[in-house]
Amino acid sequence: MLDVFPLLSGDDRITPRFTLVPGSAFGADVLSAVEAVGGRTIPWSEARDQSYDLVIAASPKGELEVLRGRHVLLPHGAGFNKSLRHEGSADSASGLDPEYLHRSEHAPPVSLHALAHPSQLARLAAADPEAALRAKVVGDPTLARLTASQPLRETYRAALGTGSRTLLALSSTWGPDALLRRCPDLPAQLAGHLPYDRYQLALVVHPNEWSRLGTYELRARLAPALEGGLILACPRDEWASVLIAADALICDHGSAALYFAAVQDRPVVAVHRGGSELIPGTPMDELLSSVPMLSSADSVEQALRAYRPETGQSAARAAFRHRTTASQRLRTELYALLGLTPPTTAIPVPLLPSPVAAPRVPGAFDVHVSIKESMIRVDRYPVGLQAPGHHLAVEHGVAGEHHLRSAGLVYRRRAAAFATTSTRVDWLADGWARHILAEYPGCRAAAALLAPSQCLLRVRSHAQPYSVGTEPVTEDGRILRIDPAAAVSAAHAWLLSQRTTPTEPVRLDCRIGAQGFPITLAPATTEAAAEPL
C-alpha cells in the first residue's frame, strides 16, 4: 500500500486515509507502520460508515466489502505461490481463494483486480470468472521501486558498511515452513563459518513473523548472530534496499526470493523446497526446483558456486511483467476509476531509502592465522561462534572484561575529536599500550589504531614498539582498504613466530578476506610512540 500511494502524490484533489480491516492475527504493527510515515488513520467503526471515491486494498480478506466505494485489489507479494491450509478453501492459492473473492449480491464488485503477470489472469479466471472480467495486468509496484532503485546499490552497501565483502542475505517468510522456523540457528552458524572480513550477513524477516514475535523477542533469538555482525533489516523499505545491496541470497519459499532474482542475476540458494504451502507449478516452485539446496552452513560456499546463471531470472519472468512501467500503468488505472485527469507533472517512482540498520562490529574475534615466511593469512570470526584460533583479538572500549582478560591482543581505535567543557585527558599511543600490558598480564600485545593506515603495536617482552603500516590496493577500478585491526593481528602473529626481533622495516604479504594487502612492520619512531590516542 505504501509503495502505491506515492503514485497519487502532488494532487490536492486526493485525500488518503488508512484503516485496518479487522481479523488479521498480525495487525498489531500495521497501524504503527502507517503512523511512522505520517499517514492519517481512522478507526474501522468510523471507516465503514462513510463513502469513498476509491477503496484500495492489498488483500480480499476480511469485511472489506462493507466499505462503500469502488474497490481496487493490488498485487500482494510476488504472485500467488502459497496455499494456506488453515484458512479459506482447500488447495486454493492465497489471494485467489474463491471464498474471499466472491462477494454478496449487495456488495460492490471489485472495479480493478491489478495483477503482475498474464499467467495470474488465467489463474484468477479459473478461481472466479467474474472477478477476471475486471482484472488487468499492470505489473508489480513494489518491483518497480526495486528496479528504479538498482543504481543506488553502492550507496546501500556503503550505508551497511559492506566494503569489499560479499553480502549474503537470508530471507525468512512466515509460517511453519519459514527459514527461521526450520533453521533457527542458521544465521549464527553462518556467522561462525564464514570469515568476517570476507562475508557480511543480513536477514530479511517477513512482517508477519516480526509481528508475531515482536522486536524484543526476535532480537533475543538472533542475539548470537547479531553480536557477530548480522544486519537485521526492518520490514518497511529496508528489506528491499538490503536485497539490492546483496551479492547472494539464501531463501525459503517467501516472495523476497523472486524480487531478488528479478532485479539482478546473482546466486540464490534454498533451504528447502517449500514445504506443504508451496503450490506446484508456480514461479516460486520453479525457482526452488532449479536452485541449489543448502544442506548445512558448512556447505554454503559450495552451494553458492553451484548456482547456474539466469536460473533466478527465468523464474522471475514467470512472476512479473511490465517491470519498468508498472507504476505508470497502475497510476493511469487509478485515475480512470477516480474520474480525474492525472496531473501533467510526472511522478517518479519513489526510490528506496538507504538502510539505517547499522551492524554491530564485533568487539572480539577468534583470529586464525597461517604463516609461511612473509606470507600471512588472517581469518577473523566473531568470538564464540568458531573454535579458538591463533589468538583472541579484543577491542578495548567495546568488549567486556571477560574477553579482555582472555585476550592475546588488545587494540583500541583513536577517539574522534570532541568538544569538552572540562579538562580532557588523552593517552599517548605507547603509553596506552604499556598500560594495557600492565593491566592484563595474560595479554601478549596491545595496539593503538591511529589511522586506517597507521598503527602502533607493542608486544610483551619486546624492548621496542612497532609501527604497522597498511597500503590500499586497487581492484577493478576500486580502492580497497584493510581494517587496521586485522593488520595488527597479522603483524602480532608474525612477530610471535620469529626468533629475533626485526630492526629494519619488513614487508609482509597479508591475505585478509578475498584480497591481498601489503603490510609494513618497522621499529616505531619516538614521534609515532607519542601520537595521541
Side-chain angles (χ1 to χ4, degrees):
M1 296 291 291
L2 295 177
D3 287 334
V4 167
F5 273 106
L7 304 180
L8 304 175
S9 61
D11 193 335
D12 60 4
R13 299 170 296 176
I14 295 176
T15 301
R17 292 291 182 264
F18 296 85
T19 193
L20 179 62
V21 181
S24 173
F26 307 105
D29 293 333
V30 174
L31 294 181
S32 297
V34 174
E35 291 169 0
V37 298
R40 184 64 58 86
T41 61
I42 55 177
W44 176 252
S45 58
E46 180 182 335
R48 61 184 298 166
D49 292 336
Q50 299 183 21
S51 296
Y52 306 92
D53 296 295
L54 204 60
V55 176
I56 304 177
S59 169
K61 298 177 184 179
E63 300 177 14
L64 186 65
E65 65 180 40
V66 306
L67 296 178
R68 295 192 293 272
R70 292 187 170 187
H71 285 214
V72 173
L73 285 179
L74 299 172
H76 181 88
F80 306 97
N81 302 294
K82 290 183 180 181
S83 177
L84 304 180
R85 310 300 182 188
H86 60 282
E87 64 179 39
S89 307
D91 300 326
S92 289
S94 181
L96 294 179
D97 192 330
E99 184 172 321
Y100 297 111
L101 293 175
H102 181 72
R103 297 193 164 196
S104 64
E105 56 180 308
H106 303 293
V110 174
S111 298
L112 172 64
H113 201 130
L115 300 172
H117 192 273
S119 65
Q120 298 169 9
L121 184 57
R123 295 178 66 190
L124 177 61
D128 189 328
E130 186 177 347
L133 296 175
R134 290 176 293 277
K136 290 188 177 181
V137 177
V138 299
D140 187 296
T142 298
L143 178 60
R145 290 193 72 192
L146 272 83
T147 301
S149 302
Q150 178 69 9
L152 277 68
R153 171 176 159 81
E154 291 300 323
T155 301
Y156 301 152
R157 290 173 68 86
L160 295 170
T162 305
S164 62
R165 292 180 291 176
T166 296
L167 176 53
L168 178 58
L170 297 87
S171 63
S172 180
T173 188
W174 64 286
D177 291 319
L179 181 149
L180 283 183
R181 299 276 194 101
R182 284 196 172 197
C183 313
D185 297 327
L186 182 59
Q189 291 170 351
L190 289 170
H193 172 70
L194 297 172
Y196 177 84
D197 295 297
R198 187 168 182 179
Y199 287 91
Q200 184 181 36
L201 297 175
L203 174 64
V204 170
V205 179
H206 193 285
N208 285 359
E209 192 70 4
W210 199 302
S211 180
R212 182 182 76 88
L213 295 175
T215 299
Y216 179 83
E217 183 176 350
L218 179 61
R219 295 190 70 87
R221 292 187 178 197
L222 295 170
L226 291 172
E227 287 292 310
L230 174 76
I231 296 165
L232 180 58
C234 79
R236 168 73 188 130
D237 284 346
E238 194 167 67
W239 69 272
S241 302
V242 167
L243 288 188
I244 291 174
D247 296 295
L249 179 72
I250 297 175
C251 69
D252 51 23
H253 60 303
S255 294
L258 282 172
Y259 283 121
F260 176 83
V263 296
Q264 52 200 352
D265 186 22
R266 297 192 172 98
V268 178
V269 171
V271 293
H272 59 76
R273 297 295 186 200
S276 60
E277 294 180 345
L278 186 62
I279 298 175
T282 59
M284 183 60 68
D285 179 53
E286 177 186 340
L287 178 69
L288 297 183
S289 298
S290 55
V291 300
M293 294 294 297
L294 181 66
S295 57
S296 67
D298 294 348
S299 64
V300 61
E301 291 168 301
Q302 178 183 355
L304 292 172
R305 288 192 298 269
Y307 173 81
R308 299 191 308 275
E310 288 291 326
T311 300
Q313 296 210 317
S314 174
R317 283 192 288 269
F320 304 111
R321 188 67 61 84
H322 308 309
R323 285 182 42 171
T324 59
T325 60
S327 297
Q328 292 86 342
R329 288 172 177 272
L330 181 57
R331 184 173 186 250
T332 299
E333 296 293 340
L334 295 180
Y335 269 101
L337 291 172
L338 287 167
L340 297 174
T341 301
T344 56
T345 303
I347 301 298
V349 177
L351 300 179
L352 295 162
S354 289
V356 296
R360 185 188 186 280
V361 178
F365 289 98
D366 281 315
V367 183
H368 294 243
V369 180
S370 62
I371 301 174
K372 186 177 181 180
E373 297 179 351
S374 62
M375 299 285 294
I376 309 171
R377 180 173 183 86
V378 171
D379 290 314
R380 299 189 299 169
Y381 301 89
V383 66
L385 299 179
Q386 174 67 268
H390 178 274
H391 63 272
L392 178 65
V394 179
E395 183 169 0
H396 191 268
V398 176
E401 185 71 5
H402 170 72
H403 290 317
L404 286 167
R405 293 290 174 188
S406 304
L409 168 66
V410 175
Y411 59 91
R412 175 178 165 180
R413 301 180 193 271
R414 173 180 260 165
F418 60 91
T420 179
T421 57
S422 62
T423 302
R424 174 175 170 174
V425 177
D426 288 321
W427 281 102
L428 300 181
D430 193 43
W432 176 84
R434 289 176 179 273
H435 164 73
I436 289 298
L437 294 178
E439 185 77 7
Y440 299 102
C443 179
R444 294 188 293 184
L449 312 186
L450 303 171
S453 60
Q454 178 190 5
C455 308
L456 183 126
L457 174 66
R458 177 168 281 279
V459 178
R460 189 182 297 278
S461 77
H462 286 215
Q464 61 188 15
Y466 300 93
S467 288
V468 180
T470 65
E471 300 175 19
V473 297
T474 58
E475 180 182 86
D476 298 330
R478 302 178 302 163
I479 300 175
L480 310 180
R481 293 180 173 86
I482 192 176
D483 179 1
V488 295
S489 274
H492 162 62
W494 186 84
L495 283 168
L496 293 183
S497 72
Q498 303 302 299
R499 296 183 179 180
T500 60
T501 58
T503 58
E504 298 293 335
V506 177
R507 182 183 174 91
L508 306 176
D509 293 320
C510 183
R511 190 157 192 86
I512 297 176
Q515 285 81 32
F517 294 89
I519 296 176
T520 302
L521 178 67
T525 64
T526 303
E527 292 77 15
E531 281 279 338
L533 179 59

